[in-house]
Amino acid sequence: MARGRSAVAGPDPSSPRPRASEAVRTCVGCRARATKSELLRVTAGRDAAGQPAVVPDPASTASGRGAHVHPTRECVDLAVRRKAFSRALRAGTGLPTGLVSAYVDSLTSTTSSTSTT
C-alpha cells in the first residue's frame, strides 16, 4: 500500500446519495446549504441606467456566474455586510444591491398581504 493513502477509495456506499433533482447550493448571506428551489439566484448585470449591479434572476436563466441567497431581508443584508455578492460574482468592485433588496422586499410584502387577507 502507498504511503499516506487510505485503503478506502471513493464515497461511502452506505451513505444516501442526493437525487439529481435536489441540487444543493450555499446561501452567500448565512452560508447555510439549501436546495436550489429555496434560494434566489442573483447575477452581475445592469440596472435601468445601464450601470453594473447585482440583479435578481428568479428564473435562473441569465447567463454567466451566479450566486444564491435566501429570499429574506436578513440574508441579503448579511451578504451585503460581508461583501459576499462581489466575491461570489467575482466582481472587482462593490456592486450596488438595491435591485435585489427591492425584489426581496416585494416578495415579503406580497407574502404578508396575501396571508392577512
Side-chain angles (χ1 to χ4, degrees), residues 37-65:
S37 62
E38 297 174 37
L39 301 171
L40 171 66
R41 182 174 187 259
V42 297
T43 61
R46 303 267 177 196
D47 62 9
Q51 299 299 314
V54 179
V55 296
D57 181 22
S60 297
T61 56
S63 62
R65 178 172 296 277

Side-chain angles (χ1 to χ4, degrees), residues 8-24:
V8 178
D12 180 17
S14 64
S15 66
R17 297 180 72 193
R19 294 188 312 204
S21 63
E22 296 178 3
V24 176

Side-chain angles (χ1 to χ4, degrees), residues 25-33 39-40 42 67-88 100:
R25 302 288 185 261
T26 302
C27 172
V28 296
C30 66
R31 303 294 300 158
R33 294 173 56 98
L39 301 171
L40 171 66
V42 297
H68 293 83
V69 66
H70 284 106
T72 63
R73 188 67 182 177
E74 294 81 19
C75 282
V76 171
D77 289 343
L78 190 57
V80 170
R81 196 169 44 229
R82 294 176 58 237
K83 300 178 183 173
F85 288 127
S86 295
R87 186 171 31 258
V100 175

